[in-house]
Amino acid sequence: MTTTTAAPWTACTEPKLPRGLWTSEKAADRAEAAGYCPFCPVAGACLAAALDLGATWGVWAGHDMGTPAGRQAARAAHAAAEGAA
């Protein structure tokens, strides 16, 4: 017997949302994209991937990696999550 598990719903893969929000040149678009992230079931993995990849652009787990403040907040959130585990 074969079972399949559907991937969790994520806004960044939702076909009804503009794909370019997460990587837009416009800060307002990226802010809109970040607003979807708190509801994402894979935000922790997304954040870890962003840090592992050294992402310097786009919205990852609700953090705008295109800004120094966004990258700093992402590192702090990851450290806090690691400390809670």
Side-chain angles (χ1 to χ4, degrees):
M1 177 177 183
T2 304
T3 57
T4 56
T5 303
W9 178 87
T10 59
C12 59
T13 61
E14 171 59 53
K16 294 179 184 174
L17 292 172
R19 294 259 175 182
L21 286 179
W22 283 261
T23 57
S24 176
E25 293 286 330
K26 298 177 183 175
D29 287 348
R30 294 190 313 273
E32 179 183 344
Y36 293 107
C37 297
F39 310 103
C40 183
V42 296
C46 178
L47 181 57
L51 296 174
D52 287 347
L53 293 169
T56 58
W57 191 253
V59 173
W60 295 73
H63 301 282
D64 187 348
M65 302 301 274
T67 67
R71 290 189 296 274
Q72 182 179 8
R75 287 190 297 271
H78 184 69
E82 289 292 306

